[in-house]
């Protein structure tokens, strides 16, 4: 699986504030910002501040992992979609992962048919 060091990681640069993003919420450990290429009316990315290439790697830290999911819940409530949203996590380019900094997609505002995939 390809890895990026924090220096060339686009999400590390967003976390650091070196790249602009439409930030909707944050905690000490995680940030949430709108996807630049939304696949649904609500499409927010929740990412840990600490660089790990995948959510699986992040799972070594239960504090970071828990914080990401707490922030997902906060974003869903803020966006008014706590009762109807979908989380997507892709691991590896074979599954469509393009940014190798752990993240959860939070999607809502679309009819989730059985065929609907990110
Ligand atoms: P992945 O395909 O790795 O699961 O998701 C990466 C997501 O990051 C994609 O949906 C893509 O649109 C989004 N993305 C890539 N670069 C940027 C950026 O510079 N800013 C924002 N806000 N989103 C980005
Ligand atoms: Zn990173």
């Amino acid at each position: 699986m390809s890895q990026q060091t924090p220096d060339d990681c686009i999400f590390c640069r967003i976390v650091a504030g070196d790249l602009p993003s439409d930030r909707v919420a944050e905690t000490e450990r995680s940030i949430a910002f709108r996807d630049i290429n939304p696949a649904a009316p609500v499409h927010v990315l929740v990412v840990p501040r600490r660089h790990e290439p995948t959510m699986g790697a992040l799972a070594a830290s239960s504090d970071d992992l828990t914080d990401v999911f707490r922030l997902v819940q906060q974003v869903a409530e803020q966006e008014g979609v706590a009762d109807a949203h979908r989380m997507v996590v892709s691991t590896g380019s074979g599954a469509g992962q393009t940014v190798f900094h752990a993240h959860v997609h939070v999607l809502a505002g679309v009819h989730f048919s059985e065929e609907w995939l990110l």
Side-chain angles (χ1 to χ4, degrees):
M1 182 181 300
S2 58
Q3 287 215 355
Q4 293 163 324
T5 59
D7 276 353
D8 64 12
C9 171
I10 207 158
F11 288 178
C12 280
R13 294 179 64 204
I14 287 175
V15 167
D18 294 342
L19 266 185
S21 70
D22 187 355
R23 214 177 268 213
V24 295
E26 59 188 298
T27 69
E28 224 171 82
R29 290 178 181 271
S30 317
I31 70 168
F33 53 93
R34 296 196 193 280
D35 197 293
I36 205 166
N37 185 23
V42 174
H43 189 170
V44 174
L45 301 170
V46 177
V47 322
R49 292 181 190 270
R50 190 165 66 76
H51 181 93
E52 287 290 352
T54 65
M55 285 299 287
L58 189 74
S61 162
S62 55
D63 286 345
D64 283 327
L65 194 66
T66 303
D67 194 76
V68 164
F69 285 102
R70 283 200 182 125
L71 192 52
V72 168
Q73 179 63 16
Q74 185 186 318
V75 166
E77 285 170 12
Q78 256 178 240
E79 298 287 319
V81 296
D83 62 343
H85 62 279
R86 183 172 287 190
M87 293 183 224
V88 173
V89 174
S90 302
T91 300
S93 49
Q97 187 178 4
T98 59
V99 177
F100 287 83
H101 179 128
H103 56 278
V104 176
H105 297 257
V106 184
L107 298 139
V110 68
H111 176 66
F112 292 112
S113 62
E114 279 180 23
E115 299 78 31
W116 198 93
L117 283 172
L118 183 60

